[in-house]
Amino acid sequence: MSVSAEQRRREIVRAARKAGSVDVTDLSARLGVAKETVRRDLRALEDHGLVKRTHGGAYPVESAGFETTLDFRTTMHVPEKRRIAEAAAQLLGDAETVFIDEGFTPQLIAECLPHDRPLTVVTASLVTAGALALAERTTVLLLGGRLRAGTLATVDHWTTRMLSGFVIDLAFIGANGISREHGLTTPDPAVGEVKAQAVRAARRRVFAGNHTKFGASSFCRFADVTDFETIVTSTLLPAPEAHRYSLLGPQVIRV
């Protein structure tokens, strides 16, 4: 690969991470190369696990060296995430104890939980704990540990040790990537340990995530697709792909 191609692809990754996605036409104009050259660059970057291609563009894949902040996530795909959160909250059933994962979509799920019945919520997320703090019939258990600045959630052995002492009715789990080959993944090993412990502690497990999570894989695997009774996503995940996930066991709900 020529140096110019390396520089071009590095610039594509930088732009994708800054904006959340890139467009082939825009990149072609910005870089002064043909659209087919950009498409070839995106294929190469996807082969290296740095981006995930979409129709007409690509978005960055989170990895051990790159993870978006919670502030950034609150600006991306928000209407889709709200639909997913509302549908996920409908799966509460008769659960009395609930784990809410860190991240923006789980935070939205927490906001959709009913306030007219007693509920105990366990979470590592300061934002989620704060959002539920004033709900009169909700008891919030905030897991202690080292606070990660980018996500405002706790990790490390303090967090997992506290979580290991619970038997939880239902866990709402998020991930940076989910694939049939690699299961559910996240960039940070410490985060992966908390998620894995939540999966072990819960009787029922629901994964909620938007369409960009599917087919992506990050650094640390913490669960298998087969660990979940339900996957909640949007209709932007094609029906044939949703069916492939359902063949592994979970019910797949697209909203």
Side-chain angles (χ1 to χ4, degrees):
M1 189 195 305
S2 68
V3 173
S4 61
E6 289 178 357
Q7 291 173 337
R8 191 172 62 241
R9 292 173 186 179
R10 197 156 44 236
E11 170 61 19
I12 290 172
V13 172
R14 188 200 64 77
R17 290 177 173 178
K18 182 178 180 181
S21 63
V22 287
D23 176 81
V24 169
T25 301
D26 290 344
L27 287 173
S28 173
R30 182 193 304 186
L31 299 171
V33 295
K35 292 181 182 178
E36 182 51 42
T37 300
V38 174
R39 294 189 186 99
R40 188 163 58 245
D41 288 339
L42 293 178
R43 285 194 294 270
L45 291 169
E46 185 174 53
D47 289 343
H48 283 86
L50 294 170
V51 303
K52 181 78 174 174
R53 287 185 296 156
T54 61
H55 181 70
Y59 59 88
V61 173
E62 295 184 290
S63 65
F66 167 70
E67 185 180 15
T68 56
T69 65
L70 182 60
D71 282 347
F72 181 85
R73 296 173 199 176
T74 62
T75 67
M76 301 298 295
H77 312 290
V78 176
E80 179 187 5
K81 291 175 179 178
R82 290 195 183 280
R83 294 197 310 273
I84 292 167
E86 290 169 1
Q90 295 298 313
L91 301 173
L92 181 64
D94 59 0
E96 297 178 352
T97 55
V98 179
F99 174 81
I100 304 288
D101 204 355
E102 66 168 60
F104 184 53
T105 301
Q107 175 189 328
L108 294 175
I109 294 173
E111 294 171 3
C112 293
L113 293 177
H115 293 166
D116 59 351
R117 53 183 265 197
L119 198 62
T120 297
V121 173
V122 180
T123 186
S125 167
L126 268 67
V127 178
T128 293
L132 296 175
L134 298 180
E136 290 187 4
R137 306 196 72 184
T138 301
T139 300
V140 180
L141 296 179
L142 178 60
L143 300 171
R146 175 173 61 87
L147 184 65
R148 300 176 73 233
T151 60
L152 294 180
T154 56
V155 292
D156 289 342
H157 64 277
W158 304 279
T159 315
T160 54
R161 184 181 302 155
M162 186 175 177
L163 191 49
S164 69
F166 299 133
V167 178
I168 295 169
D169 293 331
L170 173 61
F172 291 108
I173 303 290
N176 300 78
I178 177 172
S179 70
R180 289 176 285 118
E181 299 81 6
H182 302 298
L184 283 76
T185 55
T186 191
D188 190 312
V191 176
E193 284 297 319
V194 176
K195 292 176 182 289
Q197 185 60 58
V199 169
R200 287 191 291 268
R203 293 189 176 101
R204 298 169 51 212
R205 310 165 195 101
V206 171
F207 169 75
N210 70 13
H211 72 286
T212 68
K213 307 289 188 179
F214 289 81
S217 58
S218 195
F219 181 52
C220 300
R221 175 177 180 155
F222 66 86
D224 294 320
V225 174
T226 54
D227 291 327
F228 291 80
E229 71 167 31
T230 309
I231 291 172
V232 186
T233 187
S234 78
T235 51
L236 293 175
L237 181 72
E241 185 65 5
H243 179 64
R244 295 184 189 102
Y245 280 88
S246 70
L247 292 176
L248 297 177
Q251 175 191 16
V252 179
I253 298 173
R254 297 159 65 243
V255 293

